[in-house]
Amino acid sequence: MKRVVIIGGGYAGIYALGELVRNKNIKITLIDKHTYHNLQPEVYDLIANNSTFADVTIDLTTLCKGFDHDHLDFKNLKVRKIDQQAKKIYTEEQEIVEFDYLILAAGTRTFFPSSIPGLNNADDIKKLHRAITFKQSFETQLFEKVRDEVKQCADTHIVVVGAGLSGVEIAAEMAYYSNKFFKRGNFSCDNLKISLISSSSSILPGLKQDLINISQKRLKDLGINVITGIKLQEVGEGYCKFSNGTRIQHSFVIFTGGIEASTVSSELDVARNGRGQIVVNEFMQTDKYENIFAVGDIAEIKNSAGEIMPPNVTIARISGANAGINVLRLMDGRPLIKCNPKLDGILIALGGKFAAGDIYGLLTVKGRLAYEIKKYVFSSYRRPLLKLIKKGYAKLKRL
């Protein structure tokens, strides 16, 4: 029986799994160091108290049980080494997993440049446990402001460094949440400030100008101080120092200024780019091993025009499904299918029930309409997964 291993239970890994389970005569193992699939785009709702932990995670154990496949296992392990010659995966838990075909879908992590002193003290909300810790710290500070407002009204200043999608969305959600909090309670100590820092000349570099304009106006309406064209140089105790010589006092620093591939990518002797992403061909295969595929954020994926695609959910979905299909075709000796990923649009959460979006490059939407489209897209992805985990949960309870 052929053995297929997927490392990473994120969007790309799950879409690959969805294709692989069509073959009932293979052994499939999903490995992840976490027990859950983190619905990353919705973590900002968690921080803003619009959702709970259960809303932004999918349990991988029950998900795997929900698939009708007798030879599918989930292993909660941390990969330490991959021996591509021996086709073995070594883990921190001393368990060895063997494979005939391997799909790497371990994603990326926030890149913290070592050249910036003190940056390791910044919050990384891409990691769910760090996002929850930040949420708790932020709410504690809000409570202390209310508790002490008669005696003192100390400034609370959140500095978000990085004005790409992640930075803009978290700044907007935090501002909307805090504004609603102080207005609802009519608290006098409502001096929370949020600054969004971009090293580029604008926010959301690379996106269409109308999306930038909509987002810029929304951030201004939310009271966010947007500063462009400066770079973070140092994070000190209670202050940030920037390239133009300014120092900004802070209560929290959130860093969203770039990504790098998961360390799993370095375990393979294959071509990688400067961010550590694995360079793949049009079939999602690595350059040296036809039986090893890389998908989602951990891979450098190009479209048919040779353009590098951005790491996002759409590309993860397309590349993951393509790799799953091609593993099955490779087993059967059939021609592989080229992956030609296309972005079907972009949607930006901008606080509360307000969003901005570009639909297929043809239509720009904003406000409540864009928000409802974004929620629909998310629910369309989450709904079938919820059916699977409910089915898996019922199976586990019968054991």
Side-chain angles (χ1 to χ4, degrees):
M1 183 176 287
K2 294 296 184 182
R3 302 159 301 183
V4 185
V5 174
I6 303 170
I7 298 178
Y11 288 95
I14 286 176
Y15 273 99
L17 179 60
E19 297 296 334
L20 291 170
V21 294
R22 298 175 189 274
N23 186 331
K24 307 301 182 185
N25 299 312
I26 60 175
K27 177 176 173 55
I28 308 168
T29 304
L30 174 65
I31 298 175
D32 199 295
K33 64 181 179 181
H34 300 298
T35 58
Y36 53 82
H37 164 40
N38 177 13
L39 302 169
Q40 177 62 45
E42 303 304 307
V43 168
Y44 312 127
D45 267 358
L46 173 70
I47 292 174
N49 274 335
N50 294 325
S51 60
T52 68
F53 174 80
D55 297 321
V56 299
T57 56
I58 295 292
D59 184 76
L60 293 175
T61 299
T62 50
L63 177 70
C64 287
K65 285 293 181 185
F67 285 107
D68 288 319
H69 198 286
D70 294 334
H71 309 292
L72 168 59
D73 291 317
F74 168 63
K75 292 183 179 292
N76 179 212
L77 303 169
K78 186 173 182 180
V79 174
R80 181 173 58 84
K81 180 183 176 182
I82 300 171
D83 186 335
Q84 55 262 34
Q85 303 297 338
K87 298 180 180 178
K88 291 181 179 180
I89 298 165
Y90 297 87
T91 66
E92 294 286 353
E93 295 79 6
Q94 307 300 314
E95 184 171 344
I96 299 174
V97 182
E98 297 183 304
F99 66 89
D100 296 299
Y101 301 88
L102 175 62
I103 298 177
L104 290 167
T108 56
R109 57 183 184 174
T110 301
F111 173 56
F112 289 88
S114 58
S115 58
I116 303 177
L119 189 56
N120 57 313
N121 296 320
D123 286 290
D124 175 14
I125 59 169
K126 282 185 179 293
K127 295 179 179 178
L128 189 56
H129 69 284
R130 294 283 291 272
I132 291 172
T133 299
F134 172 79
K135 169 185 167 71
Q136 292 169 339
S137 299
F138 176 62
E139 290 181 338
T140 297
Q141 183 131 354
L142 289 180
F143 169 72
E144 289 173 353
K145 285 175 75 68
V146 173
R147 183 192 64 191
D148 301 334
E149 67 176 355
V150 175
K151 298 175 184 176
Q152 61 177 351
C153 190
D155 287 342
T156 297
H157 193 174
I158 299 172
V159 178
V160 181
V161 179
L165 276 173
S166 295
V168 167
E169 290 191 326
I170 185 57
E173 291 293 357
M174 293 298 296
Y176 180 84
Y177 170 66
S178 59
N179 290 344
K180 184 173 70 172
F181 172 85
F182 288 114
K183 184 176 180 180
R184 181 180 294 175
N186 294 299
F187 300 116
S188 61
C189 189
D190 61 351
N191 58 343
L192 184 141
K193 301 175 184 176
I194 297 176
S195 292
L196 177 64
I197 312 296
S198 174
S199 59
S200 301
S201 58
S202 75
I203 63 171
L204 301 170
L207 296 191
K208 292 172 62 175
Q209 190 59 48
D210 52 354
L211 281 183
I212 293 174
N213 293 341
I214 293 168
S215 302
Q216 189 91 36
K217 183 180 184 304
R218 174 64 171 176
L219 295 176
K220 183 179 179 182
D221 291 344
L222 289 169
I224 296 169
N225 181 29
V226 177
I227 305 171
T228 59
I230 63 171
K231 295 182 179 181
L232 178 65
Q233 286 191 328
E234 180 185 349
V235 179
E237 187 65 39
Y239 72 89
C240 292
K241 185 178 178 181
F242 294 93
S243 56
N244 63 351
T246 60
R247 286 164 63 103
I248 297 178
Q249 300 301 120
H250 72 78
S251 306
F252 303 101
V253 178
I254 298 173
F255 188 76
T256 66
I259 61 167
E260 63 180 348
S262 165
T263 54
V264 170
S265 69
S266 63
E267 295 300 323
L268 285 173
D269 178 26
V270 295
R272 299 192 303 271
N273 65 15
R275 294 194 292 186
Q277 292 171 300
I278 296 170
V279 178
V280 295
N281 64 14
E282 64 269 37
F283 307 117
M284 299 297 101
Q285 294 167 303
T286 57
D287 64 330
K288 293 183 180 179
Y289 307 97
E290 70 168 10
N291 65 322
I292 299 179
F293 296 71
V295 293
D297 293 359
I298 202 173
E300 180 185 280
I301 298 168
K302 296 180 180 178
N303 61 14
S304 58
E307 300 166 327
I308 296 175
M309 304 306 290
N312 65 20
V313 174
T314 299
I315 304 305
R317 171 177 57 82
I318 295 170
S319 63
N322 181 260
I325 291 168
N326 278 337
V327 165
L328 297 180
R329 295 180 76 90
L330 188 61
M331 283 181 192
D332 297 339
R334 292 182 291 162
L336 304 188
I337 297 174
K338 290 183 179 181
C339 182
N340 181 23
K342 297 177 182 178
L343 290 173
D344 47 16
I346 189 165
L347 291 159
I348 311 165
L350 292 169
K353 295 182 179 180
F354 190 103
D358 173 65
I359 311 300
Y360 296 106
L362 302 173
L363 177 67
T364 299
V365 290
K366 67 176 182 178
R368 181 66 180 265
L369 174 61
Y371 169 82
E372 294 296 343
I373 293 172
K374 191 174 192 303
K375 299 306 287 186
Y376 173 77
V377 170
F378 172 65
S379 64
S380 297
Y381 170 74
R382 187 169 177 261
R383 196 180 306 115
L385 296 184
L386 288 178
K387 288 182 180 179
L388 285 168
I389 63 174
K390 287 178 180 177
K391 184 177 178 182
Y393 183 78
K395 282 184 179 180
L396 287 169
K397 288 300 174 184
R398 288 199 299 267
L399 294 178

